[in-house]
Amino acid sequence: MSLIGKWDIKELEKYIDKLKGLAEEEVQKFCEDTLREIAARTLAKIIARTPVGQYPPDSGKVGGTLRRGWTAGKDMDSYEYIYNHTKVVRKGRVYQIIIENPVEYASYVEYGHRQNVGQYVPTIGKRLKKPFVEGEFMMTVSVDEMQKELPSLLEKKLKDFLEEYFK
């Protein structure tokens, strides 16, 4: 067997030692911050896709209840809401943030619903014509979109984290 060359692996050993030295708290903070970033971006997409009800001026109703429900009615953007009003739950190696809308009809708008054909609805001044209203899938589509963006986002976040750590 022939000798191809000699390598000085001191730098590699230093790098390995530095990686071993990553504190659990730093890794946990990185995971939580990354999850908050992902959740905030996803929530922003969901809010933008959520339809706003259109009501006649004399009905006294104002649209946007469902959209405001994503941030629990607080007047703030998705990032501010996620960073200040949600908590990250850790179960073993899994980190979780729950994004929910407490408005009672949110799931009907998301997935669609049946309705009574011919029933008169005073707020819209019409009789219902369709037996099924298709869902908007604002959350489903937004999560799917975010799944496609995740690899590049995670790569960038990890690269930035390691660059900062190895300064």
Side-chain angles (χ1 to χ4, degrees), residues 15-163:
Y15 183 76
I16 291 170
D17 289 341
K18 193 109 168 154
L19 278 176
K20 287 179 183 174
L22 270 173
E24 176 67 26
E25 297 82 32
E26 292 169 322
V27 173
Q28 186 171 341
K29 183 177 179 340
F30 167 75
C31 291
E32 288 180 9
D33 290 346
T34 302
L35 180 59
R36 286 187 191 282
E37 172 81 16
I38 293 166
R41 287 178 181 220
T42 304
L43 183 58
K45 291 173 181 292
I46 294 168
I47 291 171
R49 277 195 176 82
T50 302
V52 175
Q54 302 295 321
Y55 300 98
D58 59 344
S59 72
K61 290 188 174 187
V62 180
T65 302
L66 186 59
R67 187 175 279 185
R68 286 188 301 274
W70 291 112
T71 56
K74 297 179 181 359
D75 189 23
M76 59 184 65
D77 69 0
S78 60
Y79 284 83
E80 189 178 353
Y81 180 75
I82 291 293
Y83 281 89
N84 297 324
H85 296 282
T86 61
K87 67 178 188 171
V88 175
V89 177
R90 182 178 177 196
K91 295 178 182 176
R93 296 181 65 184
V94 176
Y95 292 83
Q96 178 179 18
I97 286 182
I98 297 174
I99 298 175
E100 62 184 349
N101 192 324
V103 175
E104 66 182 74
Y105 55 86
S107 64
Y108 300 116
V109 176
E110 174 73 14
Y111 300 112
H113 59 91
R114 292 172 44 142
Q115 60 185 5
N116 294 331
V117 177
Q119 176 186 358
Y120 180 75
V121 181
T123 55
I124 60 173
K126 299 179 186 175
R127 293 193 179 282
L128 300 175
K129 294 180 181 176
K130 296 191 284 184
F132 187 79
V133 176
E134 292 294 327
E136 295 289 331
F137 301 103
M138 59 265 182
M139 190 171 204
T140 305
V141 171
S142 298
V143 168
D144 288 347
E145 223 176 66
M146 201 62 219
Q147 289 280 355
K148 292 175 186 168
E149 295 174 19
L150 272 179
S152 61
L153 175 66
L154 291 175
E155 184 179 332
K156 181 187 180 316
K157 296 284 283 180
L158 185 58
K159 181 178 177 249
D160 292 347
F161 173 71
L162 291 175
E163 281 178 359

Side-chain angles (χ1 to χ4, degrees), residues 8-20:
D8 183 9
I9 61 168
K10 288 179 186 170
E11 286 298 315
L12 180 60
E13 287 171 344
K14 284 182 190 175
Y15 183 76
I16 291 170
D17 289 341
K18 193 109 168 154
L19 278 176
K20 287 179 183 174

